[in-house]
Amino acid sequence: MKFFNRENEIKEILHILNKEPDDIYFIYGSMNSGKTTLINHIINEELKESNKKYAVFYVNFREYDVDSMDNFVEALFEIDENSKSSKMKPYIESFAKGLNNTLNIYYGIKIPEQLLDRLFGEKEKGRLVFKFIRDLFISLNNKGIKPIFILDELQMIKDIAMNGGKPLLKGLFQFLVSLTKERHLAHCLCLTSDSLFAEYVYNKGELRGRAKYLLVDDFDKETSFKYMDFLAKENNIKFSNEQKEQIYFTVGGKPKLITKVVSKLYDKNLNEVLEGLLNDEIQKLDMKFEIMDYSKPKVKIGENIVEIEKEDVFKSLNLFKDRYEISKKEIPTSIYVYLIKENILFLNPRKGTLKPQSFLVWNAIKKVIP
């Protein structure tokens, strides 16, 4: 997807990266709102203009089936094919010494295979993993290079336990606090599209005063129109204001959906494309609700397992017939948890509000709910 607009978010994140690390930053937003695209643009384009030296370590947990501590370690590290070192300190020093460019980008943290094998063989993997990263970041700071540690789709590790039974997420948070608030060694950016996870983190007392939150939202109407013009020019087509209104009020300001509309216009007219997208979304909702006639879904709320009644789901979604955003207090917790897990609603934990994942979902809700 082509990068477009996001000047305010770019300015805020660059401001964060230009000052001393002092907080963990959670970058959250609804599905396909452009979080990863934004971060990759900043890494690959904006930081090139900086007068500071950076080493970016990007880990996307979505790319891995992370269900154990071993999988977590595999996701974090990337084999350094140029080193056969078996000792931690000499390798870290040689790695840091070899970074001369203003911007160094790695997808995973570089480590020799022998050292990685050693980590896998240790009972206390978590302690050694965090020690390796800490010592690497200290060495980089000593060379005048500021690490940027990016953890994308962090919710994927929420249920993993470290050796000894301690939750991995809690141990990782403590480690990230030590890197930022205590030692000021690295910028830590955590991305998630899971709004229940964002709410969980936001309400965790242990991170209060140690973490800040940045919402990457869908485009507003004005920006959506500019994005349509941008795509239209690239595709050698032209939209009237009436057509732009039609697109916006069908799919909203989600960049990926607007791009999808434009990409389908090569052999279809606009009405056909929009009707097709809306009908697909209606069918998805219909299927979910038909299944509920035969099997009631369940969600976990605290220590309790709650069965979800179709009637309660319809009653809750009926609130969106006249409104796009409501307070989460208007819907029972079990119902909104279910609707979020089904990618129907999105929760903004800072505002305590719920809204459909997109205008497209909103329009489907209004068609499906009696």
Side-chain angles (χ1 to χ4, degrees):
M1 185 173 68
K2 291 285 187 180
F3 185 81
F4 181 81
N5 203 268
R6 299 295 185 192
E7 282 88 355
N8 291 335
E9 291 91 340
I10 290 171
K11 184 177 179 181
E12 184 169 358
I13 292 172
L14 288 178
H15 174 70
I16 291 165
L17 298 180
N18 277 319
K19 65 179 184 178
E20 182 180 66
D22 195 45
D23 289 289
I24 305 167
Y25 282 86
F26 284 88
I27 299 173
Y28 70 101
S30 60
M31 293 175 61
N32 300 318
S33 62
K35 300 174 293 298
T36 300
T37 302
L38 169 65
I39 290 299
N40 275 299
H41 173 80
I42 289 172
I43 292 171
N44 292 295
E45 301 298 333
E46 300 291 337
L47 288 182
K48 289 179 181 178
E49 308 301 320
S50 174
N51 58 2
K52 293 185 178 182
K53 287 188 174 184
Y54 293 102
V56 179
F57 300 93
Y58 183 98
V59 179
N60 188 346
F61 290 109
R62 179 70 75 185
E63 296 176 356
Y64 302 88
D65 184 16
V66 185
D67 61 2
S68 69
M69 189 64 196
D70 282 351
N71 294 151
F72 171 70
V73 175
E74 287 176 338
L76 275 181
F77 292 105
E78 186 72 22
I79 297 295
D80 188 343
E81 302 288 353
N82 297 319
S83 176
K84 303 298 180 184
S85 177
S86 60
K87 294 187 177 180
M88 196 175 293
K89 187 175 180 181
Y91 170 72
I92 287 173
E93 290 178 352
S94 65
F95 179 84
K97 186 177 180 180
L99 301 188
N100 297 312
N101 296 328
T102 299
L103 181 60
N104 306 273
I105 302 173
Y106 302 96
Y107 291 89
I109 297 169
K110 288 286 188 180
I111 189 171
E113 191 169 5
Q114 292 186 53
L115 278 179
L116 185 58
D117 289 342
R118 178 184 160 193
L119 288 180
F120 276 116
E122 291 289 337
K123 289 184 178 180
E124 295 187 26
K125 291 187 186 69
R127 184 180 62 82
L128 276 178
V129 164
F130 295 154
K131 182 181 186 304
F132 179 88
I133 297 171
R134 182 202 66 193
D135 290 351
L136 174 62
F137 288 178
I138 289 173
S139 185
L140 290 170
N141 274 269
N142 290 340
K143 299 293 182 182
I145 301 169
K146 187 60 67 176
I148 302 173
F149 196 22
I150 301 173
L151 302 173
D152 203 345
E153 300 296 357
L154 188 59
Q155 74 276 0
M156 302 297 289
I157 70 167
K158 182 182 175 185
D159 297 322
I160 298 174
M162 296 171 66
N163 305 92
K166 179 180 179 180
L168 172 58
L169 196 61
K170 182 174 182 179
L172 178 61
F173 283 161
Q174 290 173 344
F175 175 61
L176 297 182
V177 168
S178 75
L179 291 179
T180 54
K181 203 76 174 175
E182 295 174 359
R183 292 175 174 268
H184 313 292
L185 288 175
H187 297 286
C188 296
L189 308 179
C190 302
L191 281 62
T192 185
S193 57
D194 185 334
S195 56
L196 289 174
F197 178 75
E199 181 189 44
Y200 167 81
V201 173
Y202 185 73
N203 291 326
K204 288 288 285 183
E206 64 195 61
L207 289 182
R208 194 161 291 126
R210 300 171 176 180
K212 293 183 179 177
Y213 298 79
L214 174 62
L215 173 65
V216 178
D217 210 349
D218 296 342
F219 292 149
D220 60 20
K221 184 177 177 181
E222 181 183 356
T223 307
S224 296
F225 278 25
K226 290 178 181 177
Y227 186 52
M228 291 174 208
D229 289 335
F230 169 75
L231 292 177
K233 185 177 181 181
E234 282 210 330
N235 289 272
N236 199 30
I237 57 178
K238 190 171 183 179
F239 291 126
S240 66
N241 282 335
E242 184 181 350
Q243 287 174 316
K244 284 186 278 189
E245 291 268 348
Q246 190 179 359
I247 295 171
Y248 180 75
F249 285 106
T250 302
V251 303
K254 197 170 291 296
K256 188 169 183 177
L257 286 178
I258 296 173
T259 304
K260 191 172 185 178
V261 170
V262 175
S263 71
K264 288 178 175 290
L265 292 176
Y266 73 95
D267 66 344
K268 295 182 177 69
N269 65 51
L270 183 59
N271 287 335
E272 188 180 359
V273 170
L274 294 178
E275 286 173 8
L277 290 174
L278 180 55
N279 284 333
D280 286 347
E281 202 62 47
I282 289 171
Q283 292 306 313
K284 289 177 190 176
L285 284 183
D286 269 335
M287 180 63 71
K288 290 180 191 294
F289 299 145
E290 283 178 18
I291 291 172
M292 294 183 77
D293 290 329
Y294 305 98
S295 176
K296 293 180 182 178
K298 299 178 178 65
V299 297
K300 187 176 182 181
I301 306 296
E303 298 301 317
N304 301 316
I305 303 297
V306 181
E307 278 194 343
I308 304 301
E309 300 286 347
K310 184 175 179 178
E311 181 182 346
D312 293 333
V313 171
F314 278 15
K315 182 179 178 181
S316 295
L317 288 178
N318 195 57
L319 297 172
F320 291 96
K321 284 206 163 184
D322 300 314
R323 290 180 289 167
Y324 184 59
E325 190 172 44
I326 68 171
S327 169
K328 71 175 186 177
K329 294 179 180 179
E330 296 183 59
I331 295 181
T333 302
S334 59
I335 303 300
Y336 80 65
V337 167
Y338 165 74
L339 291 169
I340 290 169
K341 286 182 176 292
E342 292 297 315
N343 294 321
I344 297 171
L345 297 184
F346 172 76
L347 167 67
N348 185 329
R350 297 183 71 190
K351 292 172 64 179
T353 57
L354 295 161
K355 65 180 182 180
Q357 280 280 353
S358 67
F359 267 37
L360 191 61
V361 173
W362 188 34
N363 286 318
I365 289 171
K366 290 185 282 186
K367 295 285 187 181
V368 170
I369 302 303

